[in-house]
C-alpha cells in the first residue's frame, strides 16, 4: 500500500510539473497573466495589434475593419484567411465566439469591452497611446511583450535591430539629398478642408522625425494619440520648412486643395516645399515606425529630384 501511495504521489507531482511547464506568464499594460499555453488562435481587435502579429509571422484569425485597414494601414498586408469581425468599437461578439480564439488582444478603443470579451476567451490589453507616455517606447515594449506571448522574441529583436539600421540608411539618404542641411518638416494629416492634425512630441511620428535627423517645424505638446488638431491657417508659420501630408488623399481632394487660394498662399506651397506621403498607420505598433520613416523619406526625396 505504501508503495502504491508513493507511486500516486509521483504521478501527481509529474502532472503538476508538466502543467507548470506548459503554462506561460505574459505581460500586458495591466500586469502579468498566466495562460495555459502559447496561444495559436488569436483575435486582434485593434489595427496596431493585428499588424504586430503579422510582423511576427503570426496570422490572426480575426481582425476588425479589414477593408479600411487596407486603405489606412496598408503595411503589413492582411492575409486572406483572416476573418473580419466587425468594427473596432463594436466587434461582432457572435462571430468572435465562433472563431474560438485562445486569446483576444485589445487596445484603448476596446477597453470597456473587456468584461464581455472575457466570456469568450482570455483578454490581453496593450496601451500605446496616451498623453502621459512616450508612444514609441510603449510601442516597442508592447511589441516585445506580444512577441513573448507568441514565442517570437528572437524575431522581434531582429526586426527592431533592422528597423534602427533602416533609420540610419534613410537619414543618410536625406542628408545627401539636402547637401547636409537637414530640413525642418511639419508632418500632418488633413482632418477636413479647414483643419489638420499635427503630430505631437509624444507621437511615434515625431520619434521617427528625430531618428531621421530632422526637426519639427511646428512642435506640439504631448497629447492623447499623439495628435493635435489645428486650423489650416496655422500652417502659415512654416516659413522655410517642408510640409508632408500623409495619405490617403483622393485625386478630387487634391484638386480641391490645389484650387484653394489660402493653400496656394502658404509660404511652403510657394517654395515648392510640400508633398504627399504614402499612406501609413501613424497610430500603429513598433514596425509601423519603419514604414513612417520610409514614407517621409520618399516624399522628401521626391521634392529634391530633378523636375
Amino acid at each position: 500500500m505504501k508503495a502504491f501511495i508513493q507511486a500516486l504521489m509521483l504521478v501527481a507531482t509529474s502532472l503538476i510539473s508538466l502543467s507548470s511547464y506548459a503554462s506561460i506568464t505574459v505581460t500586458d499594460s495591466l500586469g502579468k497573466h498566466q495562460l495555459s499555453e502559447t496561444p495559436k488562435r488569436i483575435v486582434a481587435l485593434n489595427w496596431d495589434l493585428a499588424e504586430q502579429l503579422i510582423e511576427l509571422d503570426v496570422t490572426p484569425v480575426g481582425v476588425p475593419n479589414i477593408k479600411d485597414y487596407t486603405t489606412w494601414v496598408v503595411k503589413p498586408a492582411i492575409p486572406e484567411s483572416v476573418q473580419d469581425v466587425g468594427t473596432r468599437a463594436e466587434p461582432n461578439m457572435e462571430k468572435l465566439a465562433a472563431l474560438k480564439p485562445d486569446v483576444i488582444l485589445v487596445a484603448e478603443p476596446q477597453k470597456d469591452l473587456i468584461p464581455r470579451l472575457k466570456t469568450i476567451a482570455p483578454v490581453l490589453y496593450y496601451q500605446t497611446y496616451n498623453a502621459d507616455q512616450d508612444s514609441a517606447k510603449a510601442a516597442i515594449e508592447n511589441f516585445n511583450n506580444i512577441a513573448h506571448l507568441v514565442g517570437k522574441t528572437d524575431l522581434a529583436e531582429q526586426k527592431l535591430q533592422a528597423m534602427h539600421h533602416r533609420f540610419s540608411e534613410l537619414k543618410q539618404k536625406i542628408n545627401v539629398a539636402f547637401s547636409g542641411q537637414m530640413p525642418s518638416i511639419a508632418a500632418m494629416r488633413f482632418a477636413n478642408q479647414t483643419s489638420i492634425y499635427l503630430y505631437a512630441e509624444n507621437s511615434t511620428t515625431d520619434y521617427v522625425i528625430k531618428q531621421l535627423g530632422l526637426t519639427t517645424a511646428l512642435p506640439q505638446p504631448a497629447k492623447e494619440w499623439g495628435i493635435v488638431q489645428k486650423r489650416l491657417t496655422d500652417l502659415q508659420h512654416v516659413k522655410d520648412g517642408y510640409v508632408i501630408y500623409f495619405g490617403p488623399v483622393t485625386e478630387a481632394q487634391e484638386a480641391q486643395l490645389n484650387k484653394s487660394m489660402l493653400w496656394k498662399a502658404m509660404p511652403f506651397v510657394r517654395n515648392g516645399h510640400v508633398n504627399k506621403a504614402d499612406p501609413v498607420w501613424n497610430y500603429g505598433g513598433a514596425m509601423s515606425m519603419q514604414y513612417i520613416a520610409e514614407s517621409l523619406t520618399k516624399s522628401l526625396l521626391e521634392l529634391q529630384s530633378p523636375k
Side-chain angles (χ1 to χ4, degrees), residues 32-232:
K32 294 188 180 297
H33 310 270
Q34 200 78 11
L35 297 180
S36 59
E37 60 183 351
T38 298
K40 304 299 182 187
R41 298 181 60 79
I42 306 175
V43 168
L45 290 183
N46 221 51
W47 289 343
D48 63 318
L49 303 174
E51 66 170 68
Q52 290 180 87
L53 288 173
I54 297 167
E55 292 286 357
L56 292 167
D57 293 339
V58 175
T59 299
V61 294
V63 171
N65 299 94
I66 291 178
K67 181 180 179 181
D68 289 339
Y69 178 105
T70 62
T71 300
W72 291 89
V73 184
V74 185
K75 296 179 182 179
I78 296 251
E80 291 184 3
S81 64
V82 181
Q83 297 293 305
D84 195 305
V85 293
T87 68
R88 286 173 288 168
E90 296 182 358
N92 186 316
M93 294 294 177
E94 290 183 2
K95 199 164 189 178
L96 276 177
L99 288 174
K100 297 181 178 178
D102 298 324
V103 70
I104 300 171
L105 308 188
V106 302
E108 187 64 27
Q110 301 86 34
K111 191 174 183 181
D112 64 321
L113 298 175
I114 290 177
R116 291 178 61 195
L117 293 169
K118 280 184 175 179
T119 65
I120 298 173
V123 178
L124 296 174
Y125 168 69
Y126 298 93
Q127 183 184 59
T128 302
Y129 297 90
N130 68 46
D132 299 323
Q133 68 183 15
D134 181 324
S135 297
K137 181 179 178 181
I140 291 170
E141 181 178 353
N142 286 337
F143 186 58
N144 283 323
N145 285 336
I146 292 170
H148 175 71
L149 169 71
V150 297
K152 300 278 188 174
T153 53
D154 288 345
L155 179 57
E157 182 59 30
Q158 293 168 18
K159 289 263 188 177
L160 290 172
Q161 288 181 2
M163 178 178 73
H164 284 95
H165 179 69
R166 185 64 171 146
F167 287 157
S168 297
E169 287 182 339
L170 297 172
K171 179 179 179 180
Q172 181 61 20
K173 286 185 177 183
I174 297 171
N175 188 57
V176 170
F178 284 82
S179 303
Q181 300 296 313
M182 298 297 270
S184 174
I185 71 168
M188 53 158 276
R189 285 185 185 272
F190 285 103
N192 51 49
Q193 294 179 13
T194 59
S195 66
I196 59 170
Y197 292 121
L198 289 171
Y199 292 96
E201 64 182 7
N202 64 323
S203 67
T204 53
T205 301
D206 196 68
Y207 171 82
V208 168
I209 289 171
K210 291 181 173 67
Q211 293 298 305
L212 295 177
L214 308 170
T215 54
T216 306
L218 292 175
Q220 301 297 316
K223 195 78 171 179
E224 186 177 11
W225 294 101
I227 55 172
V228 179
Q229 188 166 3
K230 307 288 282 186
R231 292 185 181 276
L232 181 65

Side-chain angles (χ1 to χ4, degrees), residues 240-254:
D240 299 321
Y242 292 72
V243 169
I244 305 297
Y245 58 94
F246 291 100
V249 179
T250 66
E251 290 185 7
Q253 289 171 327
E254 285 212 274

